[in-house]
């Protein structure tokens, strides 16, 4: 069964301008997950470890910094990642 990527979450991740937050697309669920630098909570540490262990196969990094991200930016990112 094909996964549907949450384009609204991807757009929000592309628009994110907080350098302490890193966003990743979970290819299994289609949702975006985020980890926060400096957050020492168990949940953040476990998610960070899972992402690092499965990076490339399950998770793809979404670079932020584009406050004007729109559907075209989402489409371009998905295409660049080979996900379309």
């Amino acid at each position: 069964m094909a996964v549907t990527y949450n384009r609204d979450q991807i757009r929000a991740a592309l628009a994110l301008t907080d350098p302490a937050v890193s966003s990743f697309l979970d290819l299994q669920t289609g949702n975006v997950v985020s980890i926060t630098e400096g957050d020492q909570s168990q949940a953040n540490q476990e998610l960070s470890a899972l992402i690092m262990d499965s990076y490339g196969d399950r998770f793809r990094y979404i670079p932020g910094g584009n406050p004007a991200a729109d559907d075209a930016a989402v489409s371009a990112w998905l295409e660049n990642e080979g996900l379309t």
Side-chain angles (χ1 to χ4, degrees):
M1 181 166 114
V3 173
T4 300
Y5 302 125
N6 189 319
R7 295 176 71 90
D8 289 335
Q9 290 180 358
I10 295 169
R11 186 204 50 73
L14 288 168
L16 189 66
T17 58
D18 185 344
V21 179
S22 296
S23 301
F24 300 84
L25 177 62
D26 183 337
L27 301 176
Q28 288 184 357
T29 67
N31 292 317
V32 173
V33 296
S34 298
I35 54 175
T36 303
E37 184 177 326
D39 180 348
Q40 297 300 316
S41 70
Q42 182 174 350
N44 192 69
Q45 296 300 313
E46 288 174 358
L47 180 58
S48 180
L50 176 63
I51 290 169
M52 294 306 118
D53 288 344
S54 305
Y55 187 77
D57 295 322
R58 178 174 174 184
F59 295 97
R60 299 284 177 86
Y61 176 69
I62 303 172
N66 179 4
D70 56 10
D71 193 55
V74 172
S75 294
W77 182 82
L78 287 168
E79 185 175 327
N80 287 338
E81 291 294 316
L83 300 174
T84 56

